[in-house]
């Protein structure tokens, strides 16, 4: 009786301990997600404008030279390009490009001549022009003419509902501060024009200027200063800028750009996470393209055709590969595969193209010579007995691929692709897909093999007894029951590839571009988190956007893995009663 009580107490205690540990992990996970959301939330905060009181009426706030020039609405020279072109304009006259050395004068037809006020916006990267009740925003971009004159393009037009008496452009962002005839201070954000900020003041405003990126000073006719604090994130409170194309300064059209740390300190940061999400999905899909045929083929053979004794030897060996360090695979790809990727790709194409043909010819040749390497009733012996033939076929295919590439115009596959307009980058997506596919192959194999092996053997044996071949018994009996589990394995492999970091950091080139070419690099969410998060200031928009990407990556992998686990559970329930 005491022994039975002790066993009962031990069982209850262990069960309680497991439940406590499970709830602890769940709450820790939820706490982590909530903390990530709390850190990421400020990036979506709306812009604010509030008036502050200065002890000396604002006279003690220093005025920089740039601020003095921006406040002077009569300044005729608005912008000077790197090529020596000066943009000159006066109300009522056409705008001119004037070269400071040759004195060549060219009309700027893109800018309106009937303007009343014009100011530079965003550290001399854009121009805000007031024409009647329209506030127009223009960008300067790289020259498209033989004269090296910068291109000018209208980006946004905002309607104002009152007369403007003063205007000042933000020193870094596409934002302008306005003083109206109704004694009202407005801040117009061209990134989000619908969220215009307004504050009514009780005095007449004569001029307005930005003292700093967050401080506005408005002057009355008597010289008294009124100070305002402007707070805004780098996306202007518009979450769509993280996912939609945006026209940044210096670019002729809307683009997806990830450049959180521009070379110039005053330049506008570019936080489009779409290229990173695209790079993550591109790497994961390329990895699945290589890993799914290999892993599912192995899983089908081990789970369905191999004997239980052989399976007990093979399955643990492949499961151990799941714990193989991905940094080692990345190092192999970086130092061995990338330098000779052209030759490797040529050999791989030869193997893929010729393997079925050479394998069939090899089998017929062996049978024609009267050799009998394998028996149909001993499927366990096939891998070892056919290994020499498989290696020979792979070697012949690789040799044929290399010889064929040498006969191409240019003498190599890389030179031939370059002549057609395609260049293979040293760090490219295909290289990432191959190495990442090898990393996730053991994971997909383990889950798929478990689903296949869970189907009772007596069902396949019954099909064999009725005259089916081993393949027919698998196709008609085992596959319908194991298919959901195999799909779950692919989903888990996708989640594993989407969250991989080291291989992406070492082999992708970390180029934040959206290019469908498999020969160009990419940048993933996980690689950006690993590279940029330690260096980003904790109160910056960059830091907050990185946590937004972390939440997105967690949500993607959590949903995929959860759905895969649900499918696996249903597969177990379906085959349990068979």
């Amino acid at each position: 009786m005491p022994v039975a009580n002790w066993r009962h107490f031990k069982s209850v205690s262990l069960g309680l301990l497991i439940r406590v540990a499970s709830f602890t992990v769940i709450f820790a996970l939820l706490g982590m997600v909530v903390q990530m959301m709390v850190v990421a939330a400020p990036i979506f905060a709306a812009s604010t404008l509030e008036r502050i009181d200065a002890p000396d009426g604002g006279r003690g706030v220093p005025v920089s030279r740039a601020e003095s020039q921006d406040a002077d609405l009569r300044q005729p020279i608005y912008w000077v390009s790197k090529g020596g072109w000066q943009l000159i304009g006066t109300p009522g006259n056409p705008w001119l490009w004037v070269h400071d050395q040759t004195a060549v004068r060219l009309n700027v037809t893109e800018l309106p001549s009937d303007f009343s006020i014009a100011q530079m916006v965003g550290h001399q990267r854009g121009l805000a022009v007031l024409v009647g009740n329209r506030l127009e925003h223009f960008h300067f971009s790289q020259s498209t003419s033989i004269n090296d004159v910068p291109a000018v393009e209208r980006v946004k037009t905002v309607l104002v509902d009152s007369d403007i008496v003063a205007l000042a452009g933000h020193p870094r962002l596409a934002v302008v501060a306005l003083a109206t005839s109704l004694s009202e201070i407005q801040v117009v954000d061209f990134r989000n024009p619908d969220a215009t900020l307004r504050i009514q003041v009780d005095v007449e405003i004569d001029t307005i200027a930005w003292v700093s990126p967050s401080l506005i000073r408005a002057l009355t006719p008597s010289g008294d200063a009124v100070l305002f604090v402007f707070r805004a994130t780098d996306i202007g409170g518009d979450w769509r800028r993280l996912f939609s194309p945006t026209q940044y300064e210096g670019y002729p059209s809307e683009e997806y750009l990830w450049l959180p740390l521009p070379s110039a300190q005053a330049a506008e940061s570019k936080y489009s996470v779409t290229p990173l999400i695209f790079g993550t999905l591109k790497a994961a899909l390329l990895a699945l393209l290589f890993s799914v045929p290999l892993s599912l083929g192995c899983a089908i053979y081990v789970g369905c055709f191999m004997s239980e004794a052989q399976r007990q030897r093979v399955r643990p060996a492949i499961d151990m590969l799941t714990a193989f360090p991905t940094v080692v695979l990345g190092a192999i790809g970086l130092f061995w595969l990338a330098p000779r990727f052209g030759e490797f790709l040529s050999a791989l194409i030869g193997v893929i193209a010729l393997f079925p043909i050479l394998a069939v010819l090899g089998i017929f040749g062996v049978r024609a010579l009267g050799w009998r390497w394998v028996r149909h009733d001993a499927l366990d012996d096939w891998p070892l007995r056919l290994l020499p033939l498989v290696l020979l076929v792979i070697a012949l295919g690789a040799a044929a691929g290399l010889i064929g590439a040498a006969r191409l115009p240019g003498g190599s596959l890389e030179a031939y692709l370059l002549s057609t307009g395609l260049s293979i980058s040293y760090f490219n997506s295909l290289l990432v897909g191959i190495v990442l596919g090898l990393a996730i192959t053991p994971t997909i194999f383990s889950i798929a093999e478990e689903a296949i092996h869970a189907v009772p053997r007596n069902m396949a044996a019954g099909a064999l007894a009725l005259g089916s071949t081993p393949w027919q018994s698998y196709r008609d009996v085992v596959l319908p029951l194991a298919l959901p589990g195999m799909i779950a394995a692919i989903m888990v492999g996708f989640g594993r590839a989407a969250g991989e970091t080291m291989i992406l950091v070492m082999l992708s080139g970390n180029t934040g571009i959206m290019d469908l070419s498999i020969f160009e690099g990419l940048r993933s969410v996980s690689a950006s988190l690993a590279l940029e998060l330690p260096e980003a200031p904790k109160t910056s928009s960059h830091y907050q956007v990185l946590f937004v990407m972390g939440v997105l990556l967690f949500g993607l992998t959590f949903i995929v893995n959860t759905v895969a686990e649900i499918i696996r559970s249903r597969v177990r329930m379906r085959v349990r009663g068979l």
Side-chain angles (χ1 to χ4, degrees):
M1 192 68 178
V3 175
N5 291 336
W6 166 249
R7 289 177 178 176
H8 176 72
F9 174 77
K10 183 179 178 180
S11 176
V12 172
S13 301
L14 289 177
L16 181 61
L17 182 61
I18 292 174
R19 288 179 174 84
V20 171
S22 301
F23 280 110
T24 302
V25 172
I26 293 174
F27 284 119
L29 185 62
L30 291 176
M32 180 191 69
V33 175
V34 171
Q35 180 65 25
M36 293 173 63
M37 292 181 176
V38 169
V39 176
I43 192 65
F44 301 107
S47 303
T48 60
L49 178 67
E50 60 179 301
R51 181 175 177 177
I52 61 174
D53 296 327
D56 55 354
R59 296 184 179 87
V61 178
V63 181
S64 64
R65 182 178 180 181
E67 180 192 350
S68 301
Q69 293 177 355
D70 287 344
D72 185 6
L73 302 181
R74 297 168 298 177
Q75 182 74 16
I77 300 177
Y78 286 90
W79 191 61
V80 179
S81 71
K82 294 181 180 179
W85 291 98
Q86 298 178 351
L87 180 63
I88 297 178
T90 54
N93 297 314
W95 290 81
L96 299 173
W97 285 115
V98 180
H99 201 275
D100 57 356
Q101 296 181 358
T102 63
V104 175
R105 303 165 68 89
L106 300 174
N107 288 336
V108 186
T109 58
E110 296 85 359
L111 295 175
S113 59
D114 55 342
F115 72 98
S116 56
I117 304 175
Q119 281 291 298
M120 297 304 303
V121 177
H123 193 63
Q124 296 193 351
R125 293 184 303 273
L127 184 69
V129 181
L130 181 64
V131 182
N133 65 338
R134 302 192 319 272
L135 186 61
E136 299 182 350
H137 182 213
F138 294 86
H139 269 177
F140 302 119
S141 58
Q142 296 179 354
S143 174
T144 57
S145 64
I146 59 175
N147 297 318
D148 197 29
V149 176
V152 181
E153 183 178 359
R154 180 186 287 107
V155 180
K156 192 83 66 175
T157 299
V158 179
L159 298 178
V160 293
D161 52 6
S162 56
D163 295 333
I164 305 300
V165 297
L167 184 151
H170 194 279
R172 192 174 68 89
L173 304 176
V175 177
V176 293
L178 310 174
T180 69
S181 58
L182 302 177
S183 299
E184 187 179 54
I185 300 297
Q186 299 182 10
V187 174
V188 177
D189 192 337
F190 289 112
R191 305 168 300 172
N192 190 12
D194 298 332
T196 300
L197 305 176
R198 306 169 185 267
I199 286 186
Q200 188 71 36
V201 294
D202 52 359
V203 294
E204 181 182 357
I205 301 300
D206 186 29
T207 60
I208 191 171
W210 292 87
V211 179
S212 69
S214 60
L215 186 61
I216 304 173
R217 176 162 60 183
L219 298 178
T220 65
S222 61
D224 295 331
V226 183
L227 300 181
F228 302 89
V229 173
F230 171 70
R231 297 183 179 89
T233 62
D234 284 340
I235 65 172
D238 188 2
W239 62 269
R240 293 170 295 183
R241 287 175 61 88
L242 294 177
F243 306 98
S244 59
T246 303
Q247 185 168 6
Y248 296 99
E249 74 286 345
Y251 294 86
S253 60
E254 294 182 342
E255 296 185 22
Y256 295 101
L257 294 175
W258 174 260
L259 190 60
L261 300 174
S263 56
Q265 184 177 3
E268 181 182 5
S269 301
K270 302 165 182 63
Y271 295 114
S272 179
V273 303
T274 303
L276 308 184
I277 298 175
F278 174 83
T280 300
L281 298 178
K282 182 180 180 181
L285 293 177
L286 285 175
L288 291 179
L289 182 64
F290 287 97
S291 65
V292 167
L294 180 61
S295 57
L296 291 187
C298 294
I300 291 171
Y301 179 75
V302 174
C304 188
F305 301 112
M306 185 174 283
S307 65
E308 190 65 25
Q310 288 281 48
R311 178 180 177 272
Q312 293 299 328
R313 299 187 185 98
V314 174
R315 172 64 191 264
I318 299 180
D319 286 342
M320 288 179 61
L321 296 178
T322 308
F324 193 80
T326 56
V327 66
V328 177
L329 290 176
I332 294 174
L334 178 63
F335 297 112
W336 182 79
L337 196 56
R340 49 185 65 90
F341 186 72
E343 292 82 359
F344 173 80
L345 184 59
S346 302
L348 181 62
I349 293 175
V351 171
I352 294 175
L354 299 179
F355 187 87
I357 300 175
L358 293 178
V360 172
L361 292 178
I363 292 174
F364 276 103
V366 169
R367 298 187 64 174
L369 294 174
W371 298 349
R372 190 171 183 179
W373 284 358
V374 297
R375 303 195 319 267
H376 291 287
D377 58 346
L379 298 180
D380 287 350
D381 297 335
W382 284 34
L384 292 178
R385 291 183 176 273
L386 293 179
L387 184 60
L389 178 62
V390 172
L391 294 179
L392 178 60
V393 169
I394 292 176
L396 292 177
L402 293 174
I403 295 173
R407 295 180 180 274
L408 291 174
S412 66
L413 180 62
E414 292 176 297
Y416 173 73
L417 291 177
L418 186 61
S419 65
T420 61
L422 294 175
S423 61
I424 302 179
S425 301
Y426 188 85
F427 300 104
N428 57 80
S429 305
L430 187 58
L431 174 62
V432 172
I434 293 174
V435 179
L436 188 56
L438 292 177
I440 66 175
T441 293
T443 302
I444 299 178
F445 165 82
S446 299
I447 301 175
E449 195 276 336
E450 179 185 354
I452 295 172
H453 189 263
V455 179
R457 287 294 182 96
N458 57 1
M459 299 184 65
L464 292 174
L466 294 174
S468 299
T469 63
W471 175 253
Q472 289 174 337
S473 67
Y474 164 75
R475 183 191 62 191
D476 299 331
V477 177
V478 178
L479 180 60
L481 294 173
L483 184 60
M486 299 168 70
I487 296 175
I490 297 175
M491 296 176 65
V492 173
F494 174 81
R496 170 80 168 79
E500 174 57 36
T501 302
M502 289 308 303
I503 293 177
L504 275 299
V505 169
M506 301 175 70
L507 301 179
S508 66
N510 297 304
T511 53
I513 58 176
M514 294 183 62
D515 196 329
L516 293 176
S517 174
I518 60 177
F519 301 119
E520 293 295 335
L522 54 87
R523 189 179 186 93
S524 68
V525 172
S526 58
S528 296
L529 293 174
L531 295 173
E532 301 174 19
L533 195 58
E535 304 295 333
K538 291 187 177 181
T539 57
S540 64
S541 298
H542 183 198
Y543 189 78
Q544 296 162 1
V545 172
L546 289 175
F547 269 85
V548 172
M549 295 192 303
V551 172
L552 293 176
L553 182 61
F554 172 81
L556 173 65
T557 55
F558 180 79
I559 291 174
V560 170
N561 292 335
T562 301
V563 173
E565 186 60 32
I566 293 174
I567 294 175
R568 292 175 62 188
S569 300
R570 291 186 177 181
V571 170
R572 296 192 191 99
M573 293 177 63
R574 287 179 60 184
V575 302
R576 186 175 298 169
L578 298 177

